[in-house]
Amino acid sequence: MLTLHIRPDGDHQVVARVFDGKRLIGEPTFHPQLEQAIKAYGDARFHSPEVAASSAYDLWFRGWTVGAVTVEQMREDAHALARRLVMLAAVMR
């Protein structure tokens, strides 16, 4: 399973990167909000073939994870996933 790691990049955007273990796949992508980054990878057809073939990701934000999430969940529940990740990052700091 690939890992989708998202982190803030300044005050007004986030950067998303996909890893296979420690190997970065493709180029980082920039998004205005966490929710948009999650949705973008839920609709992976716009990414590299290796990323597009993934049916689930281990989803991380600011060093915290919600675990394995299917691309279907990412498309349909991006808002709820983003809220969970933000809450985890705030509470666990």
Side-chain angles (χ1 to χ4, degrees), residues 3-46:
T3 299
L4 175 58
H5 184 266
I6 305 168
R7 66 171 175 77
D9 185 57
D11 291 336
H12 303 290
Q13 69 181 4
V14 296
V15 60
R17 299 175 298 166
V18 175
F19 292 91
D20 184 0
K22 292 184 178 185
R23 182 175 63 95
L24 177 64
I25 298 175
E27 296 294 321
T29 58
F30 296 88
H31 309 270
Q33 296 179 345
L34 177 58
E35 181 177 347
Q36 281 89 356
I38 294 169
K39 279 185 183 179
Y41 282 87
D43 189 11
R45 64 184 168 189
F46 298 108

Side-chain angles (χ1 to χ4, degrees), residues 4 35-46 51-57 59 69-82:
L4 175 58
E35 181 177 347
Q36 281 89 356
I38 294 169
K39 279 185 183 179
Y41 282 87
D43 189 11
R45 64 184 168 189
F46 298 108
V51 171
S54 183
S55 62
Y57 293 91
L59 184 57
V69 179
T70 66
V71 292
E72 182 177 304
Q73 289 173 295
M74 292 167 69
R75 280 192 305 267
E76 295 175 6
D77 297 327
H79 181 74
L81 290 166

